[in-house]
Amino acid sequence: MKVTIVGAGNVGASCADSISYRGIASEVVLLDIREGFAEGKAMDIMQCATNTGFNTNVSGVTNDYSKTANSDVVVITSGIPRKPGMTREELIGINAGIVKTVAENVLAHSPNCIVVVVSNPMDTMTYLALKSTGLPKNRIIGMGGALDSSRFRYYLSKALDKPSNDISAMVIGGHGDTTMIPLTRLAAYNGIPVSEFLSQEELDKVAAATMVGGATLTGLLGTSAWYAPGASVAYLVDSILNDQKKMIACSVMVDGEYGQNDICIGVPCIIGKNGIEQIVDIKLNDAEKAAFAKSADAVRSMNADLKTVLA
Ligand SMILES: NC(=O)C1=CN([C@@H]2O[C@H](COP(=O)(O)OP(=O)(O)OC[C@H]3O[C@@H](n4cnc5c(N)ncnc54)[C@H](O)[C@@H]3O)[C@@H](O)[C@H]2O)C=CC1
Ligand SMILES: O=C([O-])CC(=O)C(=O)O
């Protein structure tokens, strides 16, 4: 199986690293416009192979899409990240043009691939990739919910003082500081609702920390995060390449699910070899429904900024 990652920066290289470690692809191609950069990142990752024991062939290219031909999955991470104090939405002006061109280039060489969109503002970039390429909606997947859900589990694990892997929890809605919806009502510690162990005040604190999880890291690092984003992409790509049918919150075009249409937004999805194989339309309570509608309005109004790039 062949995976191309466009953008060999912090997130792209971390995706390549995590995918190689998992041993889920025979070939990973990293592509960047910066001369020699992807080649260098690929060489550095390949020099891990003997000490970590992976057999994936990772190569790097400078803007040569012919080397990406016949990829099964293409991950788009190209574009600028935010700096402390910025929102993801402020990146749209530069990233929209990049994502549109990149999506066209990758499909010209891999017409049957599944595209995973990472560049921010991710829900809007996913919508742009879908609208500009005309691909069927199962083949364009926005990655955000996998990461937000793993941060939610991290903050729950800190509050409970229990391991993250004993906790199941999901974040739906937009991938933005104010649009995420951590589903605290449904979060569980080994099958037991977390509300058995944490007060409403503690749960509200966890939800608030989750929503600004990316901003917190951006403040600490001076640029946005990359290890957990890379691991989240690898988790998603694993479910596609190995047809695992995992349920992962992903940004996908909704068609009536959760009462919404014509936006890409985070909802629980079954992910397999065909990409998005099913949207799991669960019953939300009134407060969750209201939060989802508000989140959808914000995502929709962001998409309106794409008018010129989609014209
Ligand atoms: N959806 C999510 O959960 C997450 C999204 N992100 C987003 O991912 C994007 C990348 O972040 P980082 O890797 O930290 O940034 P970075 O600046 O480290 O890397 C971006 C790379 O894209 C390359 N690039 C720019 N234009 C290109 C083009 N036309 N073709 C090919 N490569 C191009 C740059 O040369 C650079 O190497 C940002 O937009 C960031 O906001 C970051 C973390 C999580
Ligand atoms: O915070 C950012 O800008 C990058 C991102 O989407 C994340 O780490 O969740």
Side-chain angles (χ1 to χ4, degrees):
M1 291 288 195
K2 178 170 176 178
V3 177
T4 285
I5 298 159
V6 182
N10 286 338
V11 176
S14 177
C15 290
D17 198 36
S18 284
I19 289 171
S20 315
Y21 268 35
R22 276 183 175 255
I24 55 176
S26 50
E27 192 180 352
V28 171
V29 177
L30 267 171
L31 181 147
D32 204 286
I33 42 167
R34 225 170 112 184
E35 190 70 43
F37 191 60
E39 288 85 337
K41 290 285 182 98
M43 197 185 287
D44 192 10
I45 293 170
M46 280 305 282
Q47 290 168 3
C48 300
T50 51
N51 288 339
T52 58
F54 71 75
N55 293 303
T56 304
N57 181 40
V58 185
S59 60
V61 290
T62 304
N63 221 21
D64 179 1
Y65 281 87
S66 69
K67 298 290 191 318
T68 71
N70 301 318
S71 294
D72 297 286
V73 175
V74 175
V75 182
I76 302 179
T77 75
S78 45
I80 55 164
R82 62 173 158 170
K83 298 231 173 313
M86 289 173 76
T87 65
R88 295 175 180 87
E89 287 75 8
E90 287 174 68
L91 306 173
I92 190 171
I94 293 178
N95 288 354
I98 294 175
V99 169
K100 183 166 181 268
T101 310
V102 165
E104 285 161 4
N105 287 339
V106 294
L107 282 166
H109 293 85
S110 301
N112 300 316
C113 71
I114 289 170
V115 178
V116 176
V117 179
V118 179
S119 312
N120 272 316
M122 183 277 293
D123 300 292
T124 299
M125 294 302 102
T126 306
Y127 183 84
L128 168 64
L130 188 69
K131 290 283 174 183
S132 62
T133 62
L135 274 191
K137 65 179 207 171
N138 62 302
R139 286 175 49 201
I140 303 258
I141 309 176
M143 196 297 293
L147 172 63
D148 301 332
S149 301
S150 85
R151 287 186 179 140
F152 187 22
R153 292 167 69 189
Y154 163 81
Y155 283 114
L156 282 167
S157 86
K158 301 279 279 179
L160 289 163
D161 195 21
K162 296 290 182 298
S164 295
N165 284 316
D166 274 3
I167 295 158
S168 76
M170 191 177 279
V171 176
I172 60 170
H175 179 62
D177 296 344
T178 57
T179 57
M180 279 177 216
I181 306 162
L183 292 172
T184 44
R185 179 178 62 93
L186 302 176
Y189 166 50
N190 270 332
I192 304 165
V194 291
S195 54
E196 294 283 330
F197 309 100
L198 298 172
S199 66
Q200 191 56 48
E201 194 189 345
E202 287 169 316
L203 287 172
D204 290 347
K205 269 194 196 151
V206 165
T210 302
M211 291 173 76
V212 295
T216 300
L217 286 162
T218 304
L220 292 168
L221 299 168
T223 184
S224 56
W226 57 91
Y227 294 119
S232 305
V233 168
Y235 179 74
L236 180 63
V237 171
D238 198 352
S239 196
I240 300 169
L241 294 182
N242 289 306
D243 197 23
Q244 289 171 333
K245 319 272 191 211
K246 279 193 192 294
M247 181 164 64
I248 304 174
C250 294
S251 187
V252 56
M253 175 65 87
V254 279
D255 186 14
E257 295 90 354
Y258 294 87
Q260 298 296 329
N261 283 291
D262 197 36
I263 48 167
C264 292
I265 190 164
V267 289
C269 297
I270 303 300
I271 304 293
K273 64 178 188 310
N274 301 308
I276 309 271
E277 301 203 338
Q278 189 196 336
I279 295 176
V280 183
D281 199 357
I282 61 160
K283 213 167 165 197
L284 300 180
N285 67 22
D286 286 348
E288 292 157 353
K289 270 187 203 154
F292 198 89
K294 194 168 161 223
S295 177
D297 284 349
V299 170
R300 187 171 284 107
S301 76
M302 193 74 239
N303 291 349
D305 283 17
L306 293 174
K307 264 197 198 100
T308 45
V309 70
L310 277 175

